[in-house]
Amino acid sequence: MEQFLDKKEIRKRMLAKRQELSNEEVGEKSQQICARLKKLDIFCRSKNICLYMPVRNEVDVTLLFEIVWESKKQLWLPRVDKNTGQMRFFSYGKDTPLMKGMYNILEPDGTRCLVPDETTLVVMPGAVFSRNRERIGYGGGYYDRFLAENEMCRTVAVCYDFQILKSIPAQLHDIKPEMIISEERIF
């Protein structure tokens, strides 16, 4: 992508490209990414795993739900308060009902809210990434604000390899994940 494009234009183009993926491509690439993630030390050592409910061809991290539960880790999913715009993570188990939240994304309908600590791993989606681990999200700043308030959390971003560019116009408030995992590479 051209270097002169601004953040919004890069995001728009990349999300359009991601939307063109077939269900088979999303499934295959997601399996490869999740297989890499679950083997990482950062995943194995974490007790609290914060994942998300994928939408619009995001990496399907629901493939990790059973692995998290079987390994006796606690699974958390994000929920955004419609009044404050604050994102927090709530416990999600096999019997936890889901409800439609902001942007019609499924969220856990539970009451147990995560108190983050150094054993918390936040796995985050995004629109575009750089090889220097910079991230352009979807424009709401939910993960950036959550992670700025909870610096002790460990972070990994997941994406498809084509979403990683040489460089992007990142800003100071954009939180860099510790790692970026695609189906082909780890940064």
Side-chain angles (χ1 to χ4, degrees), residues 78-90 101-103 107 139-147 149:
R79 191 161 86 199
V80 176
D81 184 304
K82 291 177 182 169
N83 297 317
T84 65
Q86 181 184 26
M87 180 181 79
R88 295 184 300 162
F89 286 86
F90 285 81
M102 292 276 282
Y103 313 107
E107 300 176 338
Y142 299 108
Y143 280 90
D144 291 324
R145 286 192 303 277
F146 177 84
L147 292 168
E149 294 170 8

Side-chain angles (χ1 to χ4, degrees), residues 56-116:
R56 297 180 297 280
N57 282 351
E58 288 177 326
V59 173
D60 185 359
V61 294
T62 65
L63 299 170
L64 294 169
F65 285 9
E66 286 293 332
I67 292 158
V68 172
W69 292 324
E70 287 171 8
S71 61
K72 305 294 186 229
K73 298 175 187 295
Q74 183 63 54
L75 176 59
W76 306 87
L77 296 178
R79 191 161 86 199
V80 176
D81 184 304
K82 291 177 182 169
N83 297 317
T84 65
Q86 181 184 26
M87 180 181 79
R88 295 184 300 162
F89 286 86
F90 285 81
S91 178
Y92 181 65
K94 294 177 184 182
D95 299 325
T96 308
L98 292 168
M99 60 184 181
K100 283 192 179 181
M102 292 276 282
Y103 313 107
N104 286 323
I105 297 172
L106 292 175
E107 300 176 338
D109 190 18
T111 56
R112 204 163 132 237
C113 185
L114 171 68
V115 177

Side-chain angles (χ1 to χ4, degrees), residues 29-173:
K29 292 175 188 296
S30 294
Q31 283 185 336
Q32 293 169 331
I33 293 164
C34 290
R36 286 175 165 232
L37 176 56
K38 73 180 183 183
K39 292 177 186 170
L40 292 176
D41 197 49
I42 194 171
F43 184 88
C44 296
R45 290 179 183 259
S46 296
K47 293 182 178 148
N48 295 300
I49 307 289
C50 299
L51 297 174
Y52 59 87
M53 292 301 291
V55 294
R56 297 180 297 280
N57 282 351
E58 288 177 326
V59 173
D60 185 359
V61 294
T62 65
L63 299 170
L64 294 169
F65 285 9
E66 286 293 332
I67 292 158
V68 172
W69 292 324
E70 287 171 8
S71 61
K72 305 294 186 229
K73 298 175 187 295
Q74 183 63 54
L75 176 59
W76 306 87
L77 296 178
R79 191 161 86 199
V80 176
D81 184 304
K82 291 177 182 169
N83 297 317
T84 65
Q86 181 184 26
M87 180 181 79
R88 295 184 300 162
F89 286 86
F90 285 81
S91 178
Y92 181 65
K94 294 177 184 182
D95 299 325
T96 308
L98 292 168
M99 60 184 181
K100 283 192 179 181
M102 292 276 282
Y103 313 107
N104 286 323
I105 297 172
L106 292 175
E107 300 176 338
D109 190 18
T111 56
R112 204 163 132 237
C113 185
L114 171 68
V115 177
D117 62 21
E118 59 283 342
T119 70
T120 301
L121 173 63
V122 178
V123 178
M124 58 173 126
V128 190
F129 300 88
S130 78
R131 294 177 188 168
N132 292 327
R133 300 184 341 273
E134 295 154 325
R135 173 183 175 270
I136 296 176
Y138 302 115
Y142 299 108
Y143 280 90
D144 291 324
R145 286 192 303 277
F146 177 84
L147 292 168
E149 294 170 8
N150 298 285
E151 295 178 355
M152 76 293 287
C153 293
R154 308 297 305 269
T155 56
V156 172
V158 291
C159 67
Y160 306 113
D161 205 66
F162 67 81
Q163 291 178 269
I164 303 170
L165 304 179
K166 192 172 187 178
S167 65
I168 58 174
Q171 296 172 322
L172 287 175
H173 67 267

